[in-house]
Amino acid sequence: MKTVFINCSPKKRFSASSYFVFLQKLFTGGEQVSEFLRTPADHERILAQLRDAQSVVFCLPLYVDGVPSHVLPFLQKMEVFCRENNLNLHVYCIANNGFIEGRQNEPLMQVFENFCVRAHLVWGGGVGIGGGVMLNVSRILFVVQVGILLLNIALSLMNGGGVFPREAWWSFAENALLLLFFNSGVLFYLAGMGIAIRKGTYFGKKYTRIMIPSFIFILFADIFFVIISVFEGGIFRGWLAKKAYEEGV
Ligand SMILES: Cc1cc2nc3c(=O)[nH]c(=O)nc-3n(C[C@H](O)[C@H](O)[C@H](O)COP(=O)(O)O)c2cc1C
């Protein structure tokens, strides 16, 4: 059983989609091939992989309540390719969005459902994930927690203590459990979809989100975007900067 995972995020590194592909692969057995779809140069390579695959999993961000524009030409090509080659692929989808409600991915799911009808493929369903950016950050926080734990163990050994400084292990366990809880909805549904992909059955459309109350999400999202704005685009993402047309370019 060969499953092709297509990461459709245009980001080269550290996309939320790459995190969800990683998780989905943990729950899906058989032969697995990972692809990325960023430019037209990727099209032929991916289509060649689909020839002998049983399933394909699209993992992508929600852009303006829909499918990112660079994915659409690929879907058009894939439709023709699958019909011409009589492929009977099962298509699954993992969509994530920045806002907290995973249900905002519903229009994107419908696009994939309709695509399957047009391309004569089998729609297997998908998972729509809200708070994708924050869930993606949670994996860095986990690595940071591991780092702090290792540092505490090193300090404990240097001071003649054991490998199990109790306080450090408790603190690590508490924080790791909290991060696990934030991700619990995603893990639950991706595990379920993993079973469906393995069996080649219909999973349905499921929506989940980062497991924190919305008012806390908004607070952290505001802080996050102010920091990102300052570091990546100047104050307010360059809103106050001179634009090219103002400079007469
Ligand atoms: C051009 C653009 C449009 C977006 N539109 C939406 C949107 O309509 N709703 C939403 O919740 N998030 C939106 N987002 C946020 C992304 O869905 C979010 O950052 C996602 O986690 C990115 O996934 P990736 O890291 O896998 O690329 C948009 C982001 C960009 C860059």
Side-chain angles (χ1 to χ4, degrees):
M1 186 204 84
K2 176 177 166 184
T3 308
V4 179
F5 294 87
I6 309 178
N7 179 348
C8 304
S9 172
K11 293 177 196 157
K12 282 193 180 148
R13 277 178 291 122
F14 200 64
S15 63
S17 300
S18 67
Y19 175 49
F20 300 126
V21 165
F22 166 77
L23 293 178
Q24 186 61 81
K25 284 170 80 176
L26 292 179
F27 298 119
T28 314
E31 185 189 347
Q32 302 178 348
V33 173
S34 292
E35 285 292 350
F36 53 86
L37 170 56
R38 284 198 291 268
T39 69
D42 301 319
H43 292 184
E44 293 307 322
R45 196 190 62 245
I46 300 174
L47 292 178
Q49 287 291 354
L50 296 181
R51 230 176 245 287
D52 59 342
Q54 273 75 56
S55 307
V56 55
V57 181
F58 284 91
C59 200
L60 70 170
L62 180 76
Y63 276 5
V64 200
D65 283 341
V67 178
S69 60
H70 69 283
V71 178
L72 297 172
F74 176 76
L75 293 182
Q76 283 175 325
K77 234 181 226 176
M78 181 173 159
E79 177 191 324
V80 176
F81 179 82
C82 291
R83 288 169 75 144
E84 280 177 1
N85 292 285
N86 274 327
L87 298 190
N88 195 29
L89 287 164
H90 288 71
V91 178
Y92 300 87
C93 178
I94 303 170
N96 88 90
N97 61 306
F99 295 139
I100 194 159
E101 289 302 337
R103 194 161 282 279
Q104 291 191 357
N105 292 292
E106 169 65 20
L108 180 151
M109 292 284 174
Q110 285 178 15
V111 171
F112 275 89
E113 211 169 343
N114 291 330
F115 160 72
C116 288
V117 175
R118 291 276 303 199
H120 299 174
L121 300 176
V122 185
W123 169 238
V127 182
I129 301 167
V133 180
M134 214 175 263
L135 284 164
N136 196 24
V137 170
S138 76
R139 68 170 154 165
I140 310 182
L141 294 181
F142 181 73
V143 174
V144 170
Q145 290 304 323
V146 172
I148 293 173
L149 176 67
L150 292 176
L151 192 69
N152 277 317
I153 292 174
L155 288 174
S156 161
L157 286 172
M158 271 157 49
N159 292 328
V163 200
F164 293 103
R166 232 178 39 168
E167 294 268 307
W169 277 98
W170 268 120
S171 157
F172 173 75
E174 268 173 22
N175 290 327
L177 280 176
L178 198 62
L179 293 175
L180 188 68
F181 178 70
F182 290 167
N183 281 267
S184 54
V186 172
L187 292 170
F188 177 75
Y189 283 126
L190 293 188
M193 195 154 86
I195 296 171
I197 296 170
R198 274 203 300 276
K199 293 185 178 165
T201 52
Y202 178 65
F203 180 64
K205 289 181 284 185
K206 307 286 193 274
Y207 298 101
T208 183
R209 56 184 257 185
I210 185 164
M211 292 296 166
I212 57 173
S214 300
F215 69 95
I216 297 181
F217 176 88
I218 291 169
L219 191 70
F220 277 95
D222 285 350
I223 295 170
F224 177 78
F225 277 112
V226 168
I227 293 171
I228 289 287
S229 296
V230 169
F231 281 100
E232 286 197 358
I235 304 276
F236 302 116
R237 288 196 173 238
W239 288 348
L240 303 179
K242 246 192 170 4
K243 307 288 179 300
Y245 61 83
E246 287 171 343
E247 288 163 350
V249 178

